[in-house]
Amino acid sequence: MGADSETHRRLVVAGHGPASHRLVEALRERDTAGTWTITVIGEESRGAYDRVALTSHLDGADLAYPAHGGGVTVVTGERVTAIDRAARTVTTSAGSVTAYDALVLATGSAPFVPPVGGRDLPGVFVYRTVDDLDAIRDYARDRATGAVVGGGLLGLEAARAIQNLGLRSGVVEAAPWLMPRQLDEGGGAMLRRHIEGLGIAVHAGVPLRVLEAGEDGAVARIVLADGSAVGAEVVVFSAGIRPRDELARACGLPVGERGGIVVDASCRTEDPAIWAIGECALVGGTVYGLVGPCFSMAEVVADRLLSDASTAVFEGADTSTRLKLLGVDVASFGDPFAGPGEEALGVTYTDPVAGVYKRLVVSDDAQTLLGGVLVGDAASYGTLRAHVGGGLPGTPEQMLFGGTETAGEDLPAATVICSCNNVTAEGIRCAISENSLTDMADVKDRTRAGTSCGSCVPLVKRLLDAELTAAGIEVGTALCEHFDHSRAELFDIVRAGRITSFTQLVQEHGRGRGCDICRPAVASILASLGTGHILEGEQAALQDTNDHFLANLQKNGTYSVVPRVPGGEITPEKLIVIGEVARDFGLYTKITGGQRIDMFGARVEQLPDIWRRLVDAGFESGHAYGKALRTVKSCVGSTWCRYGVQDSAAMAIRLELRYRGLRAPHKLKSAVSGCARECAEAQSKDFGVIATENGWNLYLGGNGGMRPRHADLFATDLTDDQLITYIDRFLMFYIRTADRLQRTATWLESLDGGLDYLREVIVDDRLGICAELDAAMARHVAGYSDEWRDTLDDPGRLSRFVSFVNAPRTPDPSIAFEVERDQIKPIPPAVPR
């Protein structure tokens, strides 16, 4: 079926999904002689788009793939309805007839809807196309509850989408745990904790029996096999797929017993002129539902169409996967289900407090990695997946907890780095060396690695860095694939260019639409430079989770409220206000380690009312939710304490009021102690101050947490003005030069020259930037405005604080509490059945 000596042959592709698009693009890239004219016929009203990112359509994302170039005719809104194999023609739903020399069936799959009563009721949908999502969004406007049937990847995304549309959401999964095809029981249970922590109810282990209608004739509830019911005015089926093989059946091509067009390893059917790729194809007895194998099939067929001598075959696929599911890192690789009965051992780590579950499956001699599951922390996925089937680079516990990060040059040549596009380590290395590639964009463009789900990007970057280092080329520090600049460089670009939006920055200095790395990082830069309220316009869509509602999200879907208490000093009147607010709104109260009072259990629609009372009483946002200054802790100092040598409380208040609202790459904490007894624990803070008989000692770069670090003594016996000047410059230099999410401790350790270099910069003005740093801090102080007061004064910003978009003042009934020690606490999720 090749075309070595023929020209202008006719290729028809039935279907225009991701696999079809990849086939056409691969053929166009390689068909330099223009052998094939291509006609693509797709039944959707739009061209091919990224189905992996389908849910982001509801956020306004443009999912469309780039249009095909010349030599390709794309027909949309028509479906191929018949194949005449003898005449080699296809007929469409519009009645048009198109001849072919080769036909590729890329019809994909259809959602599986179980044969249960009520599945045809109004309000029942599937979750497969952009049109499906538009229909769900339109119907949901007048509804309050929704549920998804199916607890796989797409089902969980659908449940979150329903929740984001303002409905109370739930998931019904017949299997005992979520994502049963990818996760073991322990991983599924941990994922369930995360999902329920987002306020999405999970009903697992009981099959669906029937859908029941309400008085209006539309769906109202799901009845399970045990008789229990789940209220749902919107029901979405995401319970698996079935291959679209009806065209093959109708024209007499063999199909599998459970569906799928039978093809050989070259993806050719028994008819030498017809091929099948993607989710409609049955290869070696398997139908593949992941984008990676579908792309690999497309590449095979492109090779075969261009040459009779091609030996390209589809050899199966690596079904390992890593994804960010509703904010939770989830990964599985190799065989995650192997057990002791299969000559394998399982090594498991569970941390229910941190929400982390890790399991490695190794051979019974603990020498070979067979597979594994990671939930809550998948940072080691790249290294672990690269060693599946090979020797362990360390002990199982080292691989679970770090210390065995594989350098790019150490990865075996045959290691599949990008399972979506079947790209090996050797393929990436060859592309880099043969084409003199020096940046990620070029590597992705040349190899396609990292262009689909993106989970392999860190490993691709390590390979690139290793190859560049070996060639004696300086390794770049680009923030991500969308920018060729580091965070520090982007900070200077935004500052010098007076850029005020992410869109402007990416259009003028980057590419694409951005990602979860660069968008929040740029939002932080814009906030640090005072370019407007974080909930203003485009800025609101860039923020991290907590910043969306100016409050810390808690495990049951409620929020905590933390007003600023500068230096820990508070009047009786203000204490009474906090007590009254907590009492009137039924909140749990606790003294924090930063000498503030935290109020837990606020529903999102209560936040404006709570903050109105606090702001009216003179409180401001404590920024407990942001990458900003949190607190400046203090002891009472010389005013009250007989050991105090300076007024530490007054200094702490002065510092906190000066740096309040200062946005940074990471959170900032401080403390001031009135004497060497160090009651305020200043040496464990990002910047700490300890009083001396002659002034103040300044300590920099400390932190607590998982890796505590004592701060370094930077300067001694400073006057008040010297102290503030040095802190001003320290903070502004850190904000200007630190990496994304880098605490001051690691930033200080990363500086070439360390503390001595820092002294040269902010004391001796070695770089000549002290005046700039001073001016930047002066602008921050002069421009400060309380985020919550500004929000209360803006009806547009207040409109986002609702649980249900169609019932703004209606509380979420899924949030419930019980009383313990005279205060509320969340009712824990029911034990999985």
Side-chain angles (χ1 to χ4, degrees):
M1 195 57 229
D4 289 341
S5 59
E6 299 180 63
T7 59
H8 303 300
R9 308 201 67 193
R10 300 163 298 181
L11 172 66
V12 173
V13 184
H16 199 202
S20 168
H21 187 272
R22 171 56 63 84
L23 168 67
V24 173
E25 287 302 291
L27 197 58
R28 286 185 62 249
E29 289 172 4
R30 301 169 198 175
D31 186 13
T32 55
T35 303
W36 290 94
T37 59
I38 306 170
T39 301
V40 183
I41 303 172
E43 63 182 301
E44 290 193 61
S45 59
R46 54 183 56 80
Y49 55 87
D50 183 2
R51 294 187 190 275
V52 174
L54 180 64
T55 300
S56 63
H57 169 70
L58 295 174
D59 297 324
D62 180 8
L63 306 181
Y65 287 139
H68 300 303
V72 181
T73 300
V74 176
V75 179
T76 59
E78 292 186 35
R79 177 171 54 88
V80 174
T81 55
I83 301 170
D84 186 332
R85 292 169 57 189
R88 292 194 177 181
T89 62
V90 298
T91 303
T92 73
S93 54
S96 62
V97 177
T98 304
Y100 66 81
D101 295 300
L103 170 65
V104 177
L105 301 178
T107 47
S109 61
F112 171 66
V113 179
V116 297
R119 66 178 186 167
D120 296 322
L121 288 170
V124 179
F125 301 89
V126 294
Y127 200 86
R128 189 67 175 164
T129 69
V130 164
D131 289 339
D132 292 334
L133 268 63
D134 287 340
I136 292 168
R137 178 175 53 198
D138 293 343
Y139 188 86
R141 289 196 177 103
D142 300 318
R143 306 300 188 277
T145 59
V148 177
V149 179
L153 165 60
L154 198 60
L156 295 176
E157 285 194 358
R160 185 61 162 173
I162 287 174
Q163 186 183 57
N164 288 340
L165 291 173
L167 282 69
R168 190 167 69 252
S169 182
V171 176
V172 175
E173 169 57 56
W177 61 83
L178 298 174
M179 294 186 68
R181 293 188 177 183
Q182 291 85 17
L183 303 181
D184 64 358
E185 184 173 7
M190 187 61 72
L191 179 60
R192 176 174 183 157
R193 289 173 59 92
H194 284 286
I195 300 302
E196 290 181 328
L198 295 172
I200 298 173
V202 177
H203 310 271
V206 182
L208 179 155
R209 189 174 74 194
V210 69
L211 304 182
E212 291 185 347
E215 294 181 0
D216 61 354
V219 69
R221 68 192 64 85
I222 298 172
V223 179
L224 304 180
D226 62 0
S228 62
V230 179
E233 297 167 280
V234 176
V235 173
V236 176
F237 277 99
S238 182
I241 59 173
R242 294 294 182 268
R244 291 277 302 273
D245 57 13
E246 60 269 22
L247 282 173
R249 290 178 186 272
C251 71
L253 291 174
V255 297
E257 183 179 348
R258 302 186 62 184
I261 304 167
V262 175
V263 295
D264 60 19
S266 68
C267 298
R268 181 184 258 153
T269 70
E270 74 169 17
D271 185 327
I274 301 178
W275 315 70
I277 61 172
E279 294 174 340
C280 68
L282 182 69
V283 192
T286 300
V287 171
Y288 291 90
L290 297 175
V291 67
C294 296
F295 285 172
S296 295
M297 294 181 213
E299 299 282 343
V300 167
V301 173
D303 275 352
R304 291 280 182 163
L305 288 172
L306 288 171
S307 174
D308 284 329
S310 171
T311 58
V313 293
F314 177 75
E315 298 177 337
D318 177 7
T319 57
S320 299
T321 183
R322 178 187 179 181
L323 46 97
K324 194 83 166 181
L325 184 62
L326 282 60
V328 183
D329 273 327
V330 178
S332 69
F333 50 92
D335 181 1
F337 302 108
E342 304 173 55
E343 298 183 346
L345 304 172
V347 182
T348 303
Y349 167 74
T350 304
D351 182 351
V353 176
V356 172
Y357 173 87
K358 301 181 180 183
R359 181 171 186 259
L360 297 184
V361 180
V362 299
S363 59
D364 56 2
D365 61 359
Q367 297 300 305
T368 304
L369 179 63
L370 303 179
V373 171
L374 306 170
V375 177
D377 176 9
S380 56
Y381 169 77
T383 297
L384 292 170
R385 179 169 156 268
H387 285 87
V388 170
L392 296 174
T395 65
E397 55 267 30
Q398 285 177 321
M399 299 186 76
L400 283 174
F401 300 113
T404 61
E405 191 71 4
T406 301
E409 67 269 20
D410 295 332
L411 289 169
T415 301
V416 176
I417 301 299
C418 177
S419 57
C420 290
N421 297 288
N422 197 29
V423 186
T424 65
E426 184 63 18
I428 294 172
R429 291 190 184 110
C430 289
I432 293 169
S433 61
E434 292 173 3
N435 299 283
S436 301
L437 307 181
T438 59
D439 61 49
M440 279 293 292
D442 288 340
V443 174
K444 293 172 72 173
D445 182 60
R446 178 68 62 170
T447 67
R448 298 189 186 274
T451 59
S452 297
C453 76
S455 66
C456 64
V457 167
L459 207 52
V460 177
K461 181 66 165 65
R462 268 193 285 166
L463 279 166
L464 174 61
D465 290 350
E467 291 299 300
L468 294 179
T469 300
I473 301 172
E474 183 178 355
V475 175
T477 57
L479 177 65
C480 70
E481 63 190 90
H482 300 103
F483 292 98
D484 296 327
H485 309 281
S486 67
R487 181 203 170 274
E489 291 167 341
L490 286 176
F491 186 95
D492 284 337
I493 289 170
V494 173
R495 178 178 60 86
R498 298 184 179 180
I499 291 171
T500 59
S501 71
F502 178 84
T503 296
Q504 181 186 0
L505 181 65
V506 78
Q507 287 177 347
E508 295 178 5
H509 301 279
R511 66 189 71 85
R513 300 191 300 262
C515 62
D516 290 341
I517 294 174
C518 63
R519 290 170 69 86
V522 172
S524 173
I525 291 172
L526 293 170
S528 297
L529 291 170
T531 58
H533 196 284
I534 65 169
L535 297 184
E536 190 67 34
E538 183 191 56
Q539 274 274 69
L542 304 177
Q543 304 301 326
D544 286 322
T545 302
N546 291 330
D547 284 316
H548 282 304
F549 294 113
L550 306 181
N552 276 358
L553 178 66
Q554 304 302 316
K555 64 187 294 184
N556 68 335
T558 61
Y559 292 83
S560 65
V561 174
V562 189
R564 187 170 299 286
V565 181
E569 182 179 275
I570 189 168
T571 65
E573 289 75 18
K574 284 191 172 182
L575 275 173
I576 290 170
V577 169
I578 290 178
E580 289 176 340
V581 168
R583 178 198 63 203
D584 295 347
F585 288 91
L587 307 178
Y588 171 87
T589 55
K590 192 175 187 306
I591 307 297
T592 74
Q595 299 180 334
R596 303 194 286 194
I597 300 174
D598 204 342
M599 293 173 275
F600 293 81
R603 299 189 305 273
V604 65
E605 75 275 1
Q606 292 179 312
L607 291 172
D609 294 335
I610 291 171
W611 273 104
R612 172 59 67 191
R613 289 180 56 176
L614 293 171
V615 167
D616 288 347
F619 285 104
E620 296 180 345
S621 169
H623 287 97
Y625 50 82
K627 304 292 189 294
L629 178 76
R630 300 289 176 85
T631 64
V632 182
K633 187 177 177 180
S634 76
C635 63
V636 294
S638 59
T639 304
W640 291 94
C641 179
R642 56 193 175 146
Y643 300 109
V645 294
Q646 301 288 349
D647 189 349
S648 54
M651 178 54 73
I653 293 169
R654 182 177 177 183
L655 295 177
E656 186 157 349
L657 294 180
R658 183 172 183 81
Y659 305 129
R660 60 188 170 178
L662 182 64
R663 293 280 174 158
H666 213 298
K667 62 186 176 184
L668 294 166
K669 295 184 179 182
S670 180
V672 183
S673 288
C675 72
R677 284 176 170 78
E678 243 282 73
C679 295
E681 302 169 328
Q683 293 178 78
S684 65
K685 308 302 181 188
D686 295 282
F687 60 101
V689 181
I690 300 177
T692 70
E693 294 285 352
N694 300 314
W696 307 96
N697 287 351
L698 175 59
Y699 292 80
L700 300 178
N703 64 243
M706 293 179 63
R707 295 181 177 87
R709 183 186 190 276
H710 260 253
D712 296 323
L713 178 60
F714 180 79
T716 60
D717 295 332
L718 300 174
T719 65
D720 289 6
D721 289 343
Q722 285 177 318
L723 174 69
I724 290 174
T725 295
Y726 290 166
I727 296 174
D728 284 356
R729 294 173 181 175
F730 164 71
L731 291 174
M732 283 304 175
F733 190 51
Y734 161 65
I735 290 171
R736 187 167 171 169
T737 62
D739 288 335
R740 164 184 169 269
L741 299 179
Q742 188 176 35
R743 289 294 299 269
T744 60
T746 52
W747 168 75
L748 182 56
E749 291 173 346
S750 71
L751 291 178
D752 188 8
L755 195 68
D756 291 336
Y757 171 73
L758 187 61
R759 285 196 191 95
E760 292 175 355
V761 172
I762 65 179
V763 177
D764 302 331
D765 200 13
R766 171 181 169 180
L767 302 181
I769 61 171
C770 283
E772 293 179 16
L773 301 178
D774 294 341
M777 183 58 76
R779 285 193 297 272
H780 164 74
V781 174
Y784 169 77
S785 184
D786 177 37
E787 287 176 351
W788 259 111
R789 177 180 290 277
D790 294 342
T791 298
L792 294 171
D793 292 340
D794 188 311
R797 295 172 193 156
L798 284 177
S799 65
R800 67 190 299 113
F801 292 88
V802 295
S803 289
F804 303 105
V805 293
N806 57 329
R809 303 300 297 177
T810 301
D812 186 343
S814 68
I815 295 174
F817 301 96
E818 58 188 2
V819 175
E820 181 178 85
R821 299 187 299 277
D822 299 324
Q823 293 212 79
I824 63 165
K825 74 169 187 176
I827 294 178
V831 177
R833 287 177 280 189

